[in-house]
Amino acid sequence: MALYVTAVDENSPAEKAGITVDCALLAIDGHPLNDALDYQFYTTPAAFTLEICEKEQPRTVQIAKGEYEPLGCNFKTYLGDEKHSCANHCMFCFIDQLPPGMREPLYFKDDDERLSFLFGNYITLTNLTEHEIDRIIQMHISPIFVSVHTTNPALRVRMLANKRGGEVLQYLPKLAQGGIELNCQLVLCRGINDGEELRRTLTDLLALRPQVGSIAAVPAGVTDYRKGLFKLTPYDKESAAVTLDILEEFAYKCRDEYGRSIVYPSDEWYLTAERPLPPAEFYDEFAQLEDGVGMWRLYHDTFLEELENYSGLVLPHSVDAVTGTLAGPLIQDCANALMQKYPQVKITVHQIKNEYFGGNVSVAGLITGTDIIKQCTGRLHSDLLTVPEVMVRDEKGQFLDDITLKELGKALSCRAVSIPTDGGGCCKAWLSTHKRKIKLKR
Ligand code: SF4
């Protein structure tokens, strides 16, 4: 393999060494270059020998630069090659349950250790070889985010529908012994890997402490698009409470023994079980926010903090706001607190039921423009609709169904704006909308 240079930074060590877009980078000090991680790792030193191929002519270039100074080459993709796709058919895979007709990239199933290191994507380890595990240890690619789900090999084979699903569990202690920090995720399927299986998994993973730094547990999402797939039953109030009991039992034991929770139930467990969220200390440094762990505690606390400290002028105004049904009651509580302090502000919260995905999908991040239009038409109390950024996280300001904020506003005859998803930002936006300072997105 080689890395094909598509651009060279101006005045960079690469440009000074005569590397051009006609070059392919082959090896550094004898180490073959296969991807961006090889490139980043082996270009760290201040001096090295680079083997390149230019117009089909191999040659060697001596590089001298500052240690850690970027060499200055760019490639077609940020990985240097294509993303690694997954080799599993997990019984709970959310991508398999997406409605048809969405954007093509949303259907791509990645399982790539480079994305795990760079962006915190979870990997299952099933497409990794011993050699690649050794490379992770040698390069100290840490932390790595692993979708474990269960430490029972036979059950993991069944859940991932991959015969390597069980044997690759041996990589966990190997990575831990190699000094790699592991952040683990458990997607729990009702009656499959919860109960006693969950206890076993948590016990096995905690034995790999301190390398296992966190274990996030989320319930499997179930949409209406499961035709031909394994029959999964969503958690209800009672079954969520039973699972939460186990997760909290381990978490509080960890707090007693190690001073940290380590085991973190996602917010969805508390909201489904209708139990109060734990205090902020429970989440330590909120390491698994991306997995929906501690997001609502953080939202709630930062909202009230902003409300307490806000010093701007608040004129009478009305706002409509949308959210998902899961967080609806929490958002309503926050809106009530704001309206109590500032009675001149009227906020109407619309809890949007996710009909697009159906099933038990109730998080705000998967709400589409189609559902908002359907459920808000004729029901707005103002000419301003706030939409949490998490619903339009696509860089073009589009919902998952491609509807833009501009189209949403046109359909509902209002100004539709995205506001920060965090509590403090949301509070400030609701208080200051009359100043019309919120950035309008398309
Ligand atoms: S690893 Fe499993 S859940 Fe993830 S994309 Fe692949 S099949 Fe889906």
Side-chain angles (χ1 to χ4, degrees), residues 366-440:
L366 294 176
I367 295 290
T368 57
T370 307
D371 278 339
I372 298 177
I373 293 170
K374 218 193 281 179
Q375 295 171 47
C376 286
T377 298
R379 297 207 174 105
L380 298 189
H381 291 81
S382 73
D383 58 0
L384 181 79
L385 179 67
T386 64
V387 174
E389 267 169 2
V390 71
M391 287 186 193
V392 284
R393 58 191 150 194
D394 175 78
E395 63 278 2
K396 291 182 189 154
Q398 290 174 313
F399 291 88
L400 281 170
D401 57 356
D402 284 357
I403 288 182
T404 64
L405 279 171
K406 199 172 169 185
E407 288 165 343
L408 179 72
K410 201 166 165 205
L412 294 173
S413 305
C414 67
R415 187 165 65 104
V417 297
S418 72
I419 62 167
T421 303
D422 70 281
C426 175
C427 178
K428 201 186 247 174
W430 281 349
L431 285 170
S432 61
T433 45
H434 59 286
K435 295 177 184 170
R436 303 201 164 227
K437 274 189 179 167
I438 297 177
K439 196 176 146 209
L440 249 177

Side-chain angles (χ1 to χ4, degrees), residues 17-320:
I19 294 170
T20 68
V21 291
D22 293 322
C23 294
L25 310 186
L26 304 177
I28 289 176
D29 290 338
H31 301 286
L33 296 176
N34 292 310
D35 60 22
L37 281 190
D38 284 336
Y39 171 81
Q40 274 181 24
F41 185 72
Y42 292 116
T43 58
T44 302
F48 51 84
T49 304
L50 178 61
E51 290 166 45
I52 65 169
C53 186
E54 188 175 22
K55 293 180 183 158
E56 298 184 7
Q57 292 302 314
R59 70 181 171 96
T60 300
V61 183
Q62 296 300 329
I63 300 287
K65 63 174 189 61
E67 194 178 13
Y68 295 106
E69 182 187 1
L71 179 59
C73 293
N74 299 282
F75 311 104
K76 193 171 159 203
T77 68
Y78 52 85
L79 291 174
D81 69 351
E82 299 305 321
K83 282 186 215 169
H84 295 170
S85 59
C86 98
N88 312 316
H89 301 280
C90 301
M91 59 169 62
F92 51 82
C93 182
F94 200 75
I95 295 174
D96 287 342
Q97 308 176 59
L98 289 178
M102 300 177 80
R103 287 191 295 283
E104 198 55 39
L106 296 171
Y107 296 96
F108 182 75
K109 298 177 173 183
D110 77 72
D111 197 4
D112 194 315
E113 77 280 10
R114 289 97 42 100
L115 295 178
S116 184
F117 172 62
L118 294 170
F119 304 118
N121 293 18
Y122 281 97
I123 55 171
T124 61
L125 308 172
T126 54
N127 60 2
L128 292 183
T129 60
E130 285 281 346
H131 171 74
E132 284 160 325
I133 294 293
D134 290 342
R135 180 176 92 140
I136 291 173
I137 294 170
Q138 188 206 355
M139 291 186 176
H140 198 72
I141 296 172
S142 178
I144 289 279
F145 292 76
V146 184
S147 281
V148 178
H149 310 316
T150 174
T151 52
N152 175 341
L155 181 57
R156 196 163 190 266
V157 167
R158 187 177 155 225
M159 289 187 77
L160 270 58
N162 184 325
K163 60 181 191 313
R164 291 201 76 221
E167 72 196 53
V168 297
L169 286 168
Q170 62 178 311
Y171 293 156
L172 291 174
K174 186 170 178 181
L175 288 166
Q177 279 154 22
I180 304 300
E181 185 188 332
L182 301 165
N183 290 309
C184 303
Q185 181 197 49
L186 314 176
V187 176
L188 298 183
C189 300
R190 190 169 164 187
I192 306 284
N193 58 338
D194 50 11
E196 283 312 306
E197 290 291 348
L198 175 59
R199 287 180 181 281
R200 168 184 173 159
T201 301
L202 293 174
T203 306
D204 289 346
L205 290 178
L206 288 171
L208 298 178
R209 228 192 28 83
Q211 263 65 39
V212 167
S214 66
I215 306 166
V218 300
V222 179
T223 80
D224 277 350
Y225 297 88
R226 291 200 58 84
K227 206 172 163 198
L229 301 175
F230 182 87
K231 190 167 169 12
L232 275 184
T233 311
Y235 284 93
D236 55 15
K237 185 178 169 188
E238 286 71 32
S239 54
V242 170
T243 304
L244 191 49
D245 282 343
I246 298 175
L247 295 167
E248 286 202 325
E249 177 194 318
F250 278 78
Y252 283 111
K253 207 161 156 239
C254 286
R255 290 200 74 77
D256 285 346
E257 286 181 27
Y258 315 121
R260 296 173 54 74
S261 302
I262 304 177
V263 177
Y264 302 102
S266 70
D267 300 347
E268 222 172 319
W269 296 108
Y270 291 96
L271 299 173
T272 308
E274 294 176 28
R275 286 216 201 143
L277 295 166
E281 308 85 77
F282 178 85
Y283 296 102
D284 301 308
E285 65 286 351
F286 289 92
Q288 296 255 22
L289 268 182
E290 289 287 316
D291 225 358
V293 174
M295 205 182 269
W296 289 113
R297 168 51 65 200
L298 200 59
Y299 177 93
H300 179 265
D301 291 1
T302 55
F303 189 98
L304 294 187
E305 196 181 316
E306 180 64 35
L307 190 59
E308 178 74 27
N309 299 327
Y310 189 76
S311 58
L313 178 66
V314 182
L315 295 174
H317 65 280
S318 299
V319 183
D320 284 88

